[in-house]
Amino acid sequence: MIKILKPGLQTTVQDHGRIGYYEIGMPPSGAMDQYSFAIANLLVGNRENAAALEITYMGPELEFQQNAVIAITGGEIPPKINGMSVPQWSTLDVKAGDVLSFDFVKSGARAYLAVKGGIDVPIIQDSRSTYTLCGIGGYEGRALKERDVLSIGSDYQSSVPKGTTIPNSFIPKYGKYHEIRVVMGLCSYRLMPESKDRFLSIEWTVTPEANRVGYRFKGERLHFIPRDQPFGAGSNPSNVVDLGYPIGSIQVPDGIEPIALLNDAVTGGGYATIATIISTDLSRMAQVKTNDKVRFVNVSLDEAIRERQKWKEQLGKIQNIIMKT
């Protein structure tokens, strides 16, 4: 069992996500940084979809009421056990009575705490992930609160020795400037050509409206090609007849402040989506903070697929390194 002494800013239970329910309007939720989530589970010997804790900006304070094996990955939110600093991206032992706490975030935005066996909460629609907007999944459908108690499950497949880590070359570095790759479309044809160029050339600033639902950016106004709106579309040129929103899709209501829709966002609506963040870079997006700068880089669909394959191969290499320790 794990007792929550302090909950942190927003700490939720997440796994891969609630996949396969988009058609009924249910977003996947799940870990925003799937790369860090996957490595945390590898470092404790869990099965790949074992539930972990996603920690945002300010970490929780947790009392372990049994011996456990843990790993903390993702953004640099420095952890401590009983007040003593411990490393991230490494396999750690905790004893019954130990208290895990965190300093303020130094880089990145989200950290992932995996516990050998996973966090044991009910499975809802094939997932343990928390979707707070509907109050389902995770721990009572919400972020953790003081005095909550989490159970540790048995969702593991191997034992990993204490001190196991991965090469530094596999550990991401998080700054305040980010290049995020996108595939243009589905409705980028609605933008004026000069606005399409500006979207890809300027540095956008992340506003305080940046959470699991989506990130809003400020920079300059983009302009859509005027037209007689078709039946079923809104009156603004940024409106279209309703369409589905892929995770990572970017819309620009009225041409002001692009919004990147993320894990907990609505699944469809009537705004033109001008680009979609490629799947591998959604993990990068998860580590972007308010006031960071983002430049969007256009890539082809073939390039996006190749990057996804490289991402899978890299996780395979990391798994082999950990298994050989």
Side-chain angles (χ1 to χ4, degrees):
M1 307 289 281
I2 305 171
K3 184 177 181 181
I4 312 304
L5 304 180
K6 296 178 182 178
L9 183 63
Q10 185 183 48
T11 305
T12 57
V13 179
Q14 303 292 346
D15 59 15
H16 271 323
R18 196 162 281 107
I19 308 301
Y21 296 91
Y22 224 63
E23 64 182 16
I24 62 170
M26 181 63 68
S29 300
M32 289 182 65
D33 181 348
Q34 290 282 335
Y35 180 80
S36 297
F37 165 78
I39 295 176
N41 272 329
L42 288 173
L43 283 168
V44 297
N46 280 347
R47 295 185 176 90
E48 64 178 5
N49 200 29
L53 295 184
E54 181 178 87
I55 295 162
T56 305
Y57 286 163
M58 185 174 68
E61 188 173 301
L62 310 172
E63 181 183 78
F64 285 79
Q65 299 181 334
Q66 66 186 78
N67 295 348
V69 177
I70 68 171
I72 301 154
T73 61
E76 189 180 0
I77 308 177
K80 296 180 178 180
I81 296 177
N82 301 327
M84 301 294 293
S85 295
V86 293
Q88 294 185 237
W89 305 90
S90 181
T91 307
L92 306 170
D93 284 344
V94 293
K95 305 299 183 186
D98 283 352
V99 174
L100 173 67
S101 60
F102 294 82
D103 283 340
F104 289 109
V105 61
K106 289 189 174 181
S107 65
R110 291 171 175 84
Y112 292 84
L113 168 61
V115 182
K116 182 179 180 180
I119 303 298
D120 188 11
V121 294
I123 296 175
I124 298 177
Q125 293 177 317
D126 305 319
S127 175
R128 291 184 167 90
S129 288
T130 311
Y131 180 36
T132 59
L133 294 184
C134 280
I136 68 169
Y139 188 90
E140 299 182 356
R142 58 171 171 79
L144 298 181
K145 295 181 180 179
E146 186 178 338
R147 291 194 288 273
D148 287 344
V149 178
L150 299 172
S151 297
I152 298 173
S154 55
D155 204 5
Y156 66 91
Q157 56 189 358
S158 62
S159 294
V160 179
K162 175 184 177 181
T164 299
T165 187
I166 63 174
N168 284 334
S169 58
F170 292 127
I171 298 176
K173 300 296 187 290
Y174 310 113
K176 294 184 178 181
Y177 170 79
H178 312 265
E179 289 193 351
I180 302 295
R181 291 167 292 184
V182 299
V183 175
M184 295 300 291
L186 296 171
C187 304
S188 53
Y189 70 92
R190 293 290 304 119
L191 284 173
M192 299 285 283
E194 56 271 25
S195 285
K196 190 184 300 185
D197 291 342
R198 291 300 290 160
F199 172 73
L200 294 168
S201 62
I202 72 171
E203 291 183 2
W204 297 94
T205 301
V206 179
T207 74
E209 296 174 271
N211 52 43
R212 290 183 51 85
V213 174
Y215 275 43
R216 187 183 291 267
F217 305 88
K218 61 182 178 182
E220 63 182 57
R221 184 165 193 155
L222 301 179
H223 297 279
F224 288 82
I225 298 172
R227 67 171 180 176
D228 292 330
Q229 292 291 85
F231 177 79
S235 59
N236 192 280
S238 66
N239 295 139
V240 294
V241 179
D242 282 12
L243 44 70
Y245 294 151
I247 299 299
S249 58
I250 299 172
Q251 57 183 225
V252 195
D254 197 25
I256 303 171
E257 296 189 351
I259 302 170
L261 301 178
L262 300 174
N263 298 50
D264 288 355
V266 296
T267 60
Y271 287 115
T273 53
I274 63 171
T276 300
I277 298 168
I278 70 173
S279 59
T280 54
D281 283 17
L282 289 172
S283 290
R284 296 187 189 185
M285 198 70 238
Q287 299 298 347
V288 176
K289 296 193 298 295
T290 295
N291 293 324
D292 282 2
K293 304 291 185 181
V294 170
R295 189 172 78 86
F296 295 109
V297 178
N298 185 27
V299 297
S300 69
L301 182 58
D302 286 343
E303 288 176 284
I305 292 171
R306 285 196 295 271
E307 286 301 309
R308 184 169 60 185
Q309 183 59 37
K310 286 166 58 178
W311 185 85
K312 291 178 179 178
E313 291 172 357
Q314 182 163 311
L315 283 179
K317 291 177 183 177
I318 293 169
Q319 183 175 24
N320 289 335
I321 290 169
I322 292 171
M323 290 177 62
K324 289 177 181 178
T325 57

